[in-house]
Amino acid sequence: DAGVTQSPTHLIKTRGQQVTLRCSPKSGHDTVSWYQQALGQGPQFIFQYYEEEERQRGNFPDRFSGHQFPNYSSELNVNALLLGDSALYLCASSPRQARAWELFFGEGSRLTVL
Amino acid sequence: AQSVTQLDSHVSVSEGTPVLLRCNYSSSYSPSLFWYVQHPNKGLQLLLKYTSAATLVKGINGFEAEFKKSETSFHLTRPSAHMSDAAEYFCVVSGYFTGGGNKLTFGTGTQLKVEL
């Protein structure tokens, strides 16, 4: 049983560009959350998707958007990239009514903005 | 709102000596607390969890943490450090959204170094 898979694992962009990161949840999970982990920091909650809609959002600007597909996979989009968007982006999946410790994390997509 | 504070950004121990990673929490209600570990280029792994049951929590690989409400602390310990323990450790508190779903709030992390 594959866990949470994310792609790409690494990518480099320049300021002002747009990026799309992808996440496939663990089998049986229908809820996907995204976290941003800047260098030397703990992960910070970006948003959570369930039933193809954004349900909850952290303190991130509208440049950060997402999508969830009928198969529960998800995308994170970041527009107008800034240097400060350089980070490891983590996807976590869970069943809808999961308890907090039932989140499974992927290994992340490392974004570098030059 | 919930938050956690990890008191040490870096901890260095010798192999075979005890490990202590400190965490204080702030929560307006009885919290659920966790420790996660992140090895280089790896995803986050749950070490242990406290969910208002026993205050001394045992996790994987011999790690333990004790919930002390009076001190608002949730320190992580291990009696004897192994080289493989070298990693980043995060203290985490969970929050719950109205209507379901949960959110994890992470501390800033403690980098554990284990020396021979």
Side-chain angles (χ1 to χ4, degrees), chain A:
Chain A
D1 174 28
V4 179
T5 58
Q6 294 186 241
S7 63
T9 55
H10 296 80
L11 69 166
I12 300 173
K13 294 285 187 178
T14 57
R15 281 178 296 176
Q17 285 188 313
Q18 178 264 345
V19 68
T20 297
L21 308 177
R22 296 175 177 81
C23 171
S24 292
K26 182 177 171 61
S27 178
H29 289 184
D30 56 7
T31 299
V32 173
S33 302
W34 287 92
Y35 287 78
Q36 180 197 62
Q37 185 179 12
L39 193 64
Q41 300 295 318
Q44 292 193 5
F45 176 77
I46 303 175
F47 42 52
Q48 184 179 82
Y49 275 81
Y50 170 67
E51 290 184 341
E52 303 179 44
E53 289 190 18
E54 181 182 301
R55 300 293 178 171
Q56 308 291 346
R57 190 178 184 91
N59 188 27
F60 279 81
D62 292 344
R63 297 186 299 107
F64 289 76
S65 63
H67 189 76
Q68 186 180 35
F69 299 93
N71 67 352
Y72 309 124
S73 66
S74 176
E75 289 182 349
L76 164 65
N77 301 294
V78 186
N79 295 322
L81 284 168
L82 304 174
L83 295 179
D85 295 332
S86 295
L88 180 68
Y89 289 85
L90 296 164
C91 172
S93 75
S94 65
R96 181 67 185 102
Q97 296 300 329
R99 294 163 292 185
W101 58 91
E102 292 177 317
L103 270 66
F104 282 78
F105 283 88
E107 295 190 0
S109 294
R110 186 166 297 281
L111 170 65
T112 301
V113 182
L114 301 176

Side-chain angles (χ1 to χ4, degrees), chain A residues 35 37 40-43 45 48 56 88 90 96 98-101 103 105-107, chain B residues 34 38 41 43-44 46 49 51 90 94 97 99-104 106-108:
Chain A
Y35 287 78
Q37 185 179 12
Q41 300 295 318
F45 176 77
Q48 184 179 82
Q56 308 291 346
L88 180 68
L90 296 164
R96 181 67 185 102
R99 294 163 292 185
W101 58 91
L103 270 66
F105 283 88
E107 295 190 0
Chain B
F34 315 88
Q38 186 177 37
N41 301 315
L44 289 159
L46 179 65
K49 62 183 184 286
T51 59
F90 293 98
S94 69
F97 299 115
N102 46 62
K103 162 191 168 184
L104 300 181
F106 287 76
T108 52

Side-chain angles (χ1 to χ4, degrees), chain B residues 25-98:
Chain B
Y25 71 89
S26 174
S27 178
S28 53
Y29 50 82
S30 183
S32 292
L33 293 161
F34 315 88
W35 277 95
Y36 279 80
V37 62
Q38 186 177 37
H39 287 91
N41 301 315
K42 295 291 185 182
L44 289 159
Q45 181 183 21
L46 179 65
L47 271 180
L48 49 78
K49 62 183 184 286
Y50 166 76
T51 59
S52 73
T55 56
L56 181 61
V57 180
K58 296 184 184 296
I60 62 174
N61 298 335
F63 283 95
E64 293 184 348
E66 185 170 8
F67 175 76
K68 292 186 176 181
K69 186 175 181 179
S70 61
E71 299 176 9
T72 61
S73 69
F74 189 59
H75 301 335
L76 180 70
T77 61
R78 185 173 180 182
S80 176
H82 293 220
M83 295 296 292
S84 59
D85 294 335
E88 187 90 21
Y89 291 80
F90 293 98
C91 183
V92 181
V93 63
S94 69
Y96 298 89
F97 299 115
T98 302

